Amino acid sequence: MASKTVRWGMIGCGSVTERKSGPAYWQVDGSSLEMVMARREAQAKDYCQRHQVARYTTDALALVSDPNVDAIYVATPPNSHLGYALMAAEAGKPCVVEKPMALNTKECDIMLSAFRKAGVPLFVAYYRRSLPRFAVVQQWLADGLIGKVRHVHWTYHRAPNPDDVAGKPNWRVNPDIAGGGYFVDLASHGLNLFQQWFGNISNAKGLSVNQQGFYEAEDAVSACFAFESGVLGSGYWSFAASTREDRVEIIGSEGKIVCSIFGDEAFTLDGQESRVSNIANPEAVQFYHVENLVAHLKGEKTHPSLGESGRNTTWAMEQILIS
């Protein structure tokens, strides 16, 4: 693909594709969104008309097999990632799946095996690994500005979703569809980013409960984990609190970094020197993720979010929830 535009076929056109991901696939140089698939024709047609995408279909296999589609983006809930990814592998086409990678580690392993056999890459949409906002933290760590990292702690809590309180259907808290609840959906972003900074998670344990009873999945989780680098970690996530807080503290031998995963407040460093950074995210927040996808497929660089790291995140969450 070194000398051509990467033509994407997108499976699913839900809310994540409206602003976060979809526009990036035609805004990035050397990338175009060729075709969209949704099971409901009216939804696919409407998406294409609003976003000026040329073609749509209700048949995933037709999209994957289309000779004018070079690579596949799976933007559906986790319970369908495995099936669609295997279609792409069978067709010999690179594929990126939304996060989390799959329902469980077993499915991740099946996917990885299929793509190794096909000889094409599998990516996971952990786009924070590509954002300049978080690259600053990675550089501070690489420069040793807080000395040797000892521990990372993430506190995240927020008020209940009004739709859940009202009993409205929500696939994100249906374990059969999502693999868990909001912990799996949201904490996966931070845990995967920590892997980029500190290496794969080698051990993880946790406690999870449902304190509200609004849905089947967990709504409060406490965990501890260890990274291959020797850094230790801990976290607390609650979706049943009165207020919102999103705070990550990275403790080093000579200082501390404070940042957030989802917030837009400034990141601070208090160590060998004091620094403040506040880089805004692009409107299509997956822009740099897609830019890196295209660069990888053109042989220019390695994408920071390959299937193997996505698998480690799913494994770690699995360990936390079953402990």
Side-chain angles (χ1 to χ4, degrees):
M1 299 186 188
S3 62
K4 63 183 288 188
T5 295
V6 179
R7 300 167 299 179
W8 294 91
M10 185 171 78
I11 299 177
C13 51
S15 59
V16 72
T17 69
E18 289 291 339
R19 291 181 62 246
K20 289 183 177 181
S21 65
Y25 282 86
W26 64 78
Q27 291 174 359
V28 167
D29 289 343
S31 177
S32 71
L33 185 56
E34 175 70 21
M35 193 176 187
V36 166
M37 176 268 171
R39 288 179 295 178
R40 292 188 292 112
E41 183 176 7
Q43 182 183 18
K45 182 178 180 180
D46 175 66
Y47 188 92
C48 288
Q49 289 176 339
R50 288 186 294 105
H51 295 288
Q52 291 79 55
V53 179
R55 297 188 295 143
Y56 67 87
T57 181
T58 59
D59 183 349
L61 185 58
L63 178 143
V64 170
S65 305
D66 193 287
N68 293 314
V69 169
D70 303 312
I72 311 300
Y73 167 39
V74 178
T76 59
N79 68 328
S80 58
H81 289 182
L82 174 63
Y84 290 139
L86 292 181
M87 280 188 193
E90 181 67 24
K93 295 185 178 181
C95 179
V96 52
V97 297
E98 265 302 330
K99 42 62 52 191
M101 183 173 167
L103 285 178
N104 50 56
T105 306
K106 181 179 179 180
E107 289 191 355
C108 293
D109 288 338
I110 294 170
M111 292 162 68
L112 288 169
S113 177
F115 280 86
R116 286 192 206 101
K117 182 178 179 181
V120 291
L122 172 65
F123 311 95
V124 185
Y126 284 116
Y127 56 85
R128 279 169 174 76
R129 286 183 171 229
S130 295
L131 284 171
R133 180 175 180 83
F134 295 102
V136 170
V137 175
Q138 189 168 12
Q139 191 61 55
W140 287 347
L141 295 170
D143 290 344
L145 297 182
I146 60 169
K148 187 171 179 61
V149 178
R150 305 302 191 194
H151 193 93
V152 58
H153 178 79
W154 182 16
T155 296
Y156 182 86
H157 56 78
R158 72 179 198 194
N161 184 327
D163 287 346
D164 297 328
V165 177
K168 295 181 179 180
N170 181 357
W171 68 261
R172 285 181 171 81
V173 292
N174 183 338
D176 291 337
I177 299 175
Y182 291 120
F183 170 76
V184 169
D185 185 37
L186 298 176
S188 58
H189 277 291
L191 293 174
N192 185 269
L193 187 62
F194 297 161
Q195 291 167 227
Q196 185 182 33
W197 293 343
F198 312 122
N200 277 345
I201 297 171
S202 56
N203 193 8
K205 297 180 180 180
L207 296 170
S208 59
V209 295
N210 185 311
Q211 296 179 325
Q212 304 172 105
F214 293 142
Y215 40 77
E216 181 183 349
E218 74 292 334
D219 62 14
V221 177
S222 182
C224 58
F225 34 93
F227 299 88
E228 291 177 348
S229 62
V231 174
L232 294 179
S234 58
Y236 169 69
W237 304 264
S238 175
F239 306 93
S242 61
T243 59
R244 183 185 183 281
E245 183 177 7
D246 176 9
R247 179 181 174 90
V248 174
E249 292 183 277
I250 304 171
I251 309 301
S253 60
E254 299 177 42
K256 177 172 72 173
I257 294 170
V258 176
C259 61
S260 66
I261 301 300
F262 301 107
D264 56 6
E265 59 269 27
F267 295 172
T268 62
L269 180 148
D270 182 13
Q272 297 175 3
E273 55 186 273
S274 295
R275 294 188 184 182
V276 176
S277 175
N278 194 3
I279 300 174
N281 290 328
E283 183 174 356
V285 73
Q286 292 197 22
F287 182 90
Y288 294 106
H289 162 72
V290 176
E291 190 173 65
N292 283 337
L293 288 172
V294 172
H296 184 114
L297 295 175
K298 290 180 176 293
E300 297 169 359
K301 64 190 300 184
T302 298
H303 195 279
S305 184
L306 296 170
E308 287 77 9
S309 64
R311 189 258 188 206
N312 184 242
T313 305
T314 293
W315 173 84
M317 293 191 298
E318 205 168 57
Q319 300 306 302
I320 290 168
L321 293 178
I322 66 174
S323 296

